[in-house]
Amino acid sequence: MPDRIPLVAGNWKMNGLRADGIALARDIAARAAAPHRCDLLVCPPATLLAAVGAALAGSGVALGGQDCHAAPSGAFTGSTSAEMLKDAGCSHVIVGHSERRHGLGESDSDVRAKASAAWRAGLIAIVCVGEMQAEREAGRAVAVVSSQLAGSVPEGATADRLVVAYEPVWAIGTGLTPTTADIVEMHAAIRGRIPAGARILYGGSVNPRNAAEILALPEVGGALVGGASLKAEDFWAIAAACG
Ligand code: PEP
């Protein structure tokens, strides 16, 4: 399979009211009219999907959800199904983000069910994996991530509907990043466990200063960006770092 261009995805998390979200999306859409060498994806809070989708219309910037329920519909108060995300204009959904695995107790099998739901609805699943700091210090990072992949990626994965995001938990929102050697080692290990051609994103404190170095590493097929995706200038600078 030919190499894909990188994917730069912004995870806005639980940030943004309507006016801010629309302004940010419009700013990103305007910048995306310039030539760029990556695919762009924005994942706003569920409340802003419609408004952000409208602001991005025609820009080529894709829309994604931050999570989905495994069921297509039903008595699940507060949840959003993959089908609802698809209906709202999403092409992607993040599943298994560490803030859900570690903050809300989601298991590998929960993540696997959500990835299956994403595929059922016709969405691309961005399956997040990553070790805790103590696991890295104990030399168990690759083993932990391998186990997460085995438990979280459903049977039938293809390069067209699976993206893996390697996000060391200790690097998310902290300003810390692994060494480039550690990123290379982990991405190579992930590559051996997923279909050829599926993108592997790095996530964890990516910013305009470190993006070019990280994005140039072997098997790094883009970035999942949290904090820096909330400023159009920074998000665009990361996109521009794709070579
Ligand atoms: C994330 O939450 O997916 C993330 C990578 O956050 P940050 O870029 O802020 O570390």
Side-chain angles (χ1 to χ4, degrees), residues 41-207:
L41 170 69
V42 164
C43 301
T47 50
L48 295 183
L49 283 170
V52 168
L56 296 175
S59 69
V61 180
L63 185 69
Q66 298 178 11
D67 180 50
C68 66
H69 197 280
S73 62
F76 301 106
T77 302
S79 296
T80 306
S81 72
E83 282 77 2
M84 290 169 174
L85 295 176
K86 178 81 176 174
D87 188 49
C90 293
S91 53
H92 295 66
V93 60
I94 299 168
V95 294
H97 191 281
S98 79
E99 287 153 14
R100 301 200 64 91
R101 285 182 185 268
H102 300 290
L104 298 169
E106 285 190 4
S107 65
D108 285 338
S109 62
D110 293 331
V111 177
R112 186 184 178 97
K114 290 178 178 205
S116 289
W119 295 348
R120 180 188 68 221
L123 297 174
I124 298 168
I126 302 178
V127 177
C128 300
V129 291
E131 81 284 358
M132 309 277 277
Q133 186 152 25
E135 294 166 336
R136 175 155 289 280
E137 285 167 2
R140 297 181 48 234
V142 170
V144 166
V145 166
S146 300
S147 164
Q148 288 176 335
L149 281 175
S152 308
V153 176
E155 294 292 317
T158 65
D160 287 335
R161 57 186 190 167
L162 175 68
V163 175
V164 171
Y166 168 54
E167 300 205 298
V169 179
W170 51 272
I172 295 179
T174 59
L176 303 172
T177 53
T179 65
T180 53
D182 286 341
I183 296 175
V184 170
E185 180 193 37
M186 186 63 81
H187 280 235
I190 295 170
R191 170 57 63 214
R193 290 166 173 80
I194 63 171
R199 283 161 162 152
I200 308 168
L201 312 184
Y202 169 77
S205 296
V206 176
N207 61 48

